[in-house]
Amino acid sequence: AIVGFVIMWFGFNYDLLGEAARSFVHDDALKGIGFIEVNIGVPLIACILMVARNNAIITADLGNRVLSSQFLAMKNLHVPGQTYITLAIMLNMVIGGLVLVAASLSVASWTAYYTWQILFPTQPFELWQEHFFRAMLPGTRGFGKLIWVVVKVLLSCAAGGWLAIRAGLARKDSVIAVNYAIARSIILGVTATLLVHAGIAVLVY
């Protein structure tokens, strides 16, 4: 919601250009704002927030299991607990990432529309709909690139999950070691997310 508001609000506040110039660039600006929100801004922010939060939880959970020797106990009982848990984590990270980004895009689009209504109260919804999504309609170059949004989400969530699992399953001999692992997991997960999104954005767009 914040991204949808900020990009739309500041995207149209061309104070140096004046009202006449703002009306002149309206259609192309709306098209560009829609493209940026859907392809760059919302997926990046949603993935950063999700990876940072989930990595902390995953690493804390796995780290405490390692510290309390739960995995060793499962192994002695011939229970594949580590495999089960790590597979569940990776599946939930990937599927959850896609669901979260889709929900975030819906909220951001809704917020962008109502922000646009504040700026242009006399304009109809159909005008916003036509131009906001114009760069991503079937048959346009932008439509073919929407697959890269999915790729970015999948790669960043998978990388974040893998780094969290590695940090959590590493040897722990104290609670302090668990805390260090959590901090390392968050930093590495967010860094990986930024690298994936920035790298794909530079290569594709």
Side-chain angles (χ1 to χ4, degrees):
I2 292 171
V3 173
F5 167 76
V6 168
I7 295 179
M8 183 65 71
W9 182 263
F10 291 101
F12 274 111
N13 276 326
Y14 296 108
D15 293 331
L16 296 176
L17 299 176
E19 289 294 327
R22 188 168 76 167
S23 299
F24 178 73
V25 302
H26 173 273
D27 293 356
D28 285 335
L30 193 55
K31 172 187 172 184
I33 289 169
F35 183 84
I36 290 169
E37 281 195 13
V38 172
N39 288 276
I40 306 294
V42 175
L44 174 61
I45 298 299
C47 286
I48 286 175
L49 293 174
M50 191 194 79
V51 167
R53 175 189 178 276
N54 287 2
N55 275 31
I57 295 170
I58 293 165
T59 305
D61 179 64
L62 294 179
N64 284 313
R65 290 175 188 270
V66 170
L67 184 62
S68 58
S69 302
Q70 289 183 33
F71 287 121
L72 184 59
M74 290 180 185
K75 187 177 179 180
N76 291 336
L77 294 171
H78 305 290
V79 177
Q82 187 170 317
T83 302
Y84 170 78
I85 290 173
T86 53
L87 283 176
I89 288 170
M90 291 301 292
L91 283 174
N92 278 281
M93 282 288 286
V94 170
I95 296 171
L98 291 173
V99 172
L100 179 65
V101 170
S104 298
L105 287 171
S106 299
V107 173
S109 299
W110 177 82
T111 310
Y113 167 66
Y114 281 101
T115 305
W116 178 79
Q117 277 281 284
I118 294 171
L119 296 169
F120 305 97
T122 60
Q123 299 297 333
F125 169 76
E126 290 76 16
L127 179 67
W128 174 85
Q129 186 180 34
E130 176 185 353
H131 293 292
F132 189 80
F133 298 105
R134 194 174 68 186
M136 295 159 284
L137 294 173
T140 63
R141 291 178 62 188
F143 180 76
K145 291 181 179 179
L146 284 176
I147 188 64
W148 289 106
V149 176
V150 177
V151 172
K152 286 189 290 187
V153 173
L154 291 176
L155 285 178
S156 57
C157 291
W162 180 73
L163 290 166
I165 290 168
R166 281 201 61 185
L169 293 180
R171 185 168 175 257
K172 308 287 187 304
D173 51 17
S174 67
V175 175
I176 295 175
V178 175
N179 293 336
Y180 278 130
I182 293 169
R184 186 168 62 250
S185 173
I186 294 171
I187 293 169
L188 292 177
V190 170
T191 302
T193 300
L194 289 169
L195 289 174
V196 167
H197 282 256
I200 290 179
V202 169
L203 291 173
V204 175
Y205 306 115

